[in-house]
Amino acid sequence: MNNTEGVIVPNGKLPKEAQGLQLNFCKTLACDNFGLSDAEKYVLQHVNPKRPAMVCRECGAFPPLLNNQSVLDELQRLKQTQTDGLPACKNTSCESLGLSVHSHKHLYHSFGYSGQKQRYRCKACQSTFVDQWSESNHKLQIQESILGYLFTGHPVREICRRLSINPKTFYDHLNQIAKRCRRKLSVIDERWFKHADNYTLASQFVPLQPNSHNGVFWIASGEVESGYIVAQHTNYSEEELKESQDNFTTARIVSTSYTPEAQLPFEDTQADIRTRIDNKYQLILARDNVEDPLGNLAKLDYPLKGTLIHPHYTSYAHYLYLEQQLETDRPISIFMPQDPLLRSAALSVYLPRIKAESIDIVYVEESEGWQNSTPVDKHDIVHMGWWRDRWAITQQNTIESDQRVELMIEKAICVLAGKQQPSHWLQSASTRSISSYQRRFQVIFNDFVNEPRRRLRPAGINPLLDIFRAWHNLCYQDKSGLTAAQKLKLIDKTWTLKELLS
Ligand SMILES: [Zn+2]
Ligand SMILES: [Zn+2]
C-alpha cells in the first residue's frame, strides 16, 4: 500500500467536481444509488488505507474514489500525444486543443505560408501553427525501407546496418513516420465518427511488453466487425509528470516506490468457462483497488524514464476521449472482457447515455473456436462474483475430425447496460477483432517489444503503436482481401506503405 499520500479530502466528503465532471458514485447498475453522487449515500473514510474509501450504503459495493481533475489531466495528456504532429491548436488552455484542421475546418482560418507549409490561425485563441506535413515527403524512400524491415521482424541494429544510419536517425525517422500516420488516420477516423449510423465497439487491454513487468498497459477500442481501430492509449508518459494540486487518497501517478503485494495470478486456461470467470473475480478482489490491474502484479519494475499512470485513469480518459469523438445522437454498443478496469470507466463516462437508454455495455468471454453465426437455442443463467453479475453461458459442441474428440466450446456474456436479451448477445457480441489486433502487434514486433534493453524503456514503442494502427486500418488485408477501412467504406482501395508515407 503506497496510496496513503495526499489525503486532502476530509472524511465524509466526495472529491470535488471538475468542469462539471463527477465520476464518484455507485457503479452497480441495479443499485438505487447507481450514478448518484450525494455524499450521504456512501460511507466515506480517508484515514485507513487498508479499508475502502467509499462504500455504497445501499448495495455495499466499494468503487475506488477518483480525483475528477486528474481524469481530465489524463484526458489532456492522451489528446496531446494523439495530436502531436497534427495541424491543430496547441494551446493547452484553448477549447480547440488537438482538434485537427482537417476535421474541424470551421475552427481555423488559413493564415498564409511558412516556406512551403500552410499556416493556420485558431479562431478561439488566435494562436497560429503550421501544417508540418503539407509538403511532400522527401524521405519517402528510406522510410519505406525502414517500415519494410520493421514489419518483417528485423532488429533495429540490423536495419541501421543495412541502411547505413545510426540508431538516433532511425528513431527520428520512426517518430516522423508516426506523425504522418496520425495525420492521415485522423482524417479517416473522422469519416467514421461522422458518418456511421451506430457505433459497435470492442475494447481490450493487455500488458504492452508481456515480458517486462513495467506496469504499462495498452488499451484499445475498435469497430467490431471490420476490426478498424478507433483509439488506443497506454498508461505511460514519456514526460516526468507531477500530480495536480488537489490530491486524493488514490493518486493518478504511480509512485516510483509502489510495491505490489499480490501473488502471480494463476490462470487455468484449460478450465471450463465458469471456473475461469470465477477465478477472474478472485483475481479482481485481490487488488487493492478493484479497477487497477497493477494490484495483480507480483512485482513492478518502474520504467527508467517517464511516468507511469494508474491504468484506471487512462481507461476513464480513453472512454472520455471516445465520447468526445462520437456523435451524441447515435446508439453505441461496447463489448469488453471481464474486468472492472474497462467496465467501471465505461459505466461512469457513459452515464448520460445509460440514462437515455442509447448504449449497451456487455462483458464477453468465449473459448477459442467459437462460431458466432450459429444460433443459440438455450443458455444457463448464473450469478457470479461478489457483485452477483448475471452471466448467460452456452455451449457449442464440435468434433475434431482427425482425433475424433468432442470439444466443449463455450461462450459467456453479461449484460452490464442495455435492454437486449442475453441470447441476442450470445450470438453477436465479440471482442475477437480487437484481441487479434493486439496479438498481431506482439507477433510482428516481438523482437522490438521484448528486446532486453527496452524492457524498462517503453518510450520507443509509442511511435510504433501509431504506425501499426495506421497500417492495420489502411494497408492490412484479412482473408476477405479487404482492409478494415475498406470494410467500413472509408477508403475505396487498399493503401500501400508508400501511400501511407507520402
Ligand atoms: Zn450501490
Ligand atoms: Zn486555440
Side-chain angles (χ1 to χ4, degrees):
M1 282 282 185
N2 291 288
N3 49 10
T4 51
E5 305 141 25
V7 182
I8 287 175
V9 177
N11 277 349
K13 288 259 166 81
L14 283 172
K16 278 205 299 261
E17 230 181 65
Q19 297 171 34
L21 187 72
Q22 175 56 274
L23 296 164
N24 296 290
F25 45 75
C26 177
K27 288 163 198 186
T28 312
L29 200 65
C31 175
D32 287 346
N33 287 349
F34 173 74
L36 300 178
S37 297
D38 315 309
E40 66 273 17
K41 297 192 182 297
Y42 306 96
V43 179
L44 296 158
Q45 68 89 22
H46 313 292
V47 180
N48 183 352
K50 293 277 177 199
R51 290 182 41 229
M54 174 184 193
V55 178
C56 174
R57 289 188 195 272
E58 199 63 43
C59 73
F62 37 92
L65 284 168
L66 290 154
N67 180 327
N68 297 299
Q69 183 55 49
S70 295
V71 175
L72 293 179
D73 292 348
E74 179 64 0
L75 174 62
Q76 195 186 61
R77 181 185 77 81
L78 299 188
K79 279 188 177 172
Q80 272 176 302
T81 330
Q82 191 107 7
T83 56
D84 183 18
L86 288 190
C89 181
K90 304 274 187 285
N91 176 356
T92 52
S93 53
C94 177
E95 64 208 32
S96 301
L97 167 73
L99 299 173
S100 147
V101 167
H102 303 299
S103 49
H104 296 81
K105 287 197 179 68
H106 61 286
L107 298 178
Y108 304 99
H109 293 295
S110 294
F111 202 63
Y113 283 86
S114 174
Q116 297 278 302
K117 297 169 184 173
Q118 176 72 50
R119 178 171 283 281
Y120 294 94
R121 185 159 82 177
C122 172
K123 288 184 188 172
C125 72
Q126 312 299 320
S127 68
T128 69
F129 54 89
V130 292
D131 183 356
Q132 295 175 333
W133 312 100
S134 51
E135 55 179 356
S136 61
N137 186 358
H138 306 305
K139 298 165 188 161
L140 180 66
Q141 210 171 358
I142 187 163
Q143 294 188 346
E144 202 185 342
S145 305
I146 289 177
L147 284 197
Y149 286 129
L150 262 178
F151 276 84
T152 43
H154 288 75
V156 176
R157 200 182 309 152
E158 174 71 11
I159 299 174
C160 291
R161 196 185 59 76
R162 291 198 185 205
L163 298 173
S164 309
I165 54 175
N166 62 39
K168 166 146 193 337
T169 310
F170 170 86
Y171 287 107
D172 287 347
H173 277 301
L174 207 62
N175 280 313
Q176 284 181 21
I177 297 170
K179 284 184 185 180
R180 215 170 258 280
C181 286
R182 281 198 291 266
R183 177 181 187 269
K184 297 243 161 157
L185 210 46
S186 75
V187 180
I188 316 270
D189 288 348
E190 199 57 34
R191 284 184 200 156
W192 186 69
F193 289 134
K194 283 246 155 36
H195 299 299
D197 299 330
N198 59 72
Y199 307 111
T200 309
L201 297 168
S203 299
Q204 174 83 268
F205 72 100
V206 290
L208 181 64
Q209 295 167 277
N211 303 337
S212 84
H213 315 287
N214 64 10
V216 182
F217 289 93
W218 171 25
I219 301 174
S221 293
E223 200 279 327
V224 169
E225 289 300 320
S226 62
Y228 186 94
I229 306 303
V230 291
Q232 60 180 5
H233 299 109
T234 67
N235 58 316
Y236 168 76
S237 162
E238 291 175 42
E239 317 210 335
E240 308 288 335
L241 298 178
K242 293 240 156 50
E243 196 75 53
S244 71
Q245 290 291 301
D246 175 27
N247 212 336
F248 198 64
T249 37
T250 306
R252 166 185 170 226
I253 289 169
V254 180
S255 141
T256 46
S257 60
Y258 179 92
T259 43
E261 294 169 349
Q263 308 293 312
L264 259 186
F266 171 69
E267 269 191 78
D268 183 359
T269 48
Q270 299 301 309
D272 62 82
I273 206 158
R274 221 176 130 166
T275 310
R276 295 208 304 271
I277 292 170
D278 211 45
N279 289 346
K280 188 63 186 279
Y281 278 117
Q282 291 179 31
L283 196 66
I284 290 163
L285 281 174
R287 300 170 181 169
D288 292 347
N289 166 342
V290 290
E291 294 179 10
D292 185 352
L294 281 183
N296 286 134
L297 293 183
K299 62 168 183 164
L300 175 71
D301 296 327
Y302 206 95
L304 293 173
K305 280 187 188 157
T307 308
L308 201 59
I309 315 280
H310 280 287
H312 56 300
Y313 277 93
T314 309
S315 181
Y316 279 82
H318 175 80
Y319 286 118
L320 276 175
Y321 167 81
L322 270 175
E323 180 59 4
Q324 293 187 349
Q325 312 299 318
L326 304 174
E327 302 286 328
T328 43
D329 60 345
R330 283 167 228 174
I332 316 185
S333 307
I334 308 178
F335 310 134
M336 56 182 64
Q338 174 199 2
D339 202 299
L341 172 71
L342 301 173
R343 168 204 174 125
S344 295
L347 282 173
S348 309
V349 166
Y350 299 122
L351 181 63
R353 288 188 189 256
I354 293 172
K355 287 182 178 161
E357 298 184 347
S358 62
I359 189 167
D360 301 289
I361 305 176
V362 183
Y363 269 164
V364 186
E365 295 291 332
E366 64 185 32
S367 323
E368 209 158 313
W370 176 269
Q371 304 288 334
N372 249 355
S373 46
T374 323
V376 173
D377 27 280
K378 59 181 172 55
H379 60 261
D380 300 326
I381 294 289
V382 192
H383 288 88
M384 293 177 79
W386 187 93
W387 296 267
R388 312 295 298 148
D389 285 337
R390 188 172 184 270
W391 285 86
I393 303 178
T394 191
Q395 290 94 24
Q396 277 173 350
N397 295 332
T398 58
I399 299 180
E400 217 162 80
S401 56
D402 45 346
Q403 293 160 350
R404 312 298 302 164
V405 262
E406 201 169 309
L407 292 173
M408 191 70 90
I409 303 206
E410 296 171 295
K411 178 164 179 170
I413 59 106
C414 173
V415 179
L416 304 168
K419 284 192 156 166
Q420 288 283 2
Q421 290 304 310
S423 53
H424 173 79
W425 295 126
L426 279 170
Q427 261 187 76
S428 57
S430 170
T431 56
R432 205 177 297 172
S433 54
I434 194 94
S435 10
S436 64
Y437 166 75
Q438 292 190 312
R439 208 174 316 123
R440 188 168 300 116
F441 177 83
Q442 306 281 0
V443 170
I444 295 180
F445 302 110
N446 177 49
D447 290 344
F448 190 93
V449 168
N450 295 314
E451 194 191 311
R453 253 198 92 254
R454 208 183 308 281
R455 284 196 181 160
L456 300 182
R457 294 179 176 87
I461 300 176
N462 280 339
L464 201 58
L465 285 177
D466 287 318
I467 296 168
F468 183 67
R469 180 167 92 90
W471 173 82
H472 169 89
N473 285 346
L474 305 172
C475 307
Y476 168 73
Q477 299 174 334
D478 70 2
K479 283 181 211 140
S480 69
L482 297 174
T483 62
Q486 278 175 287
K487 289 186 201 167
L488 292 176
K489 303 201 166 29
L490 303 174
I491 56 175
D492 49 20
K493 67 176 203 47
T494 301
W495 286 24
T496 59
L497 283 184
K498 190 177 262 144
E499 284 167 300
L500 192 60
L501 294 171
S502 54

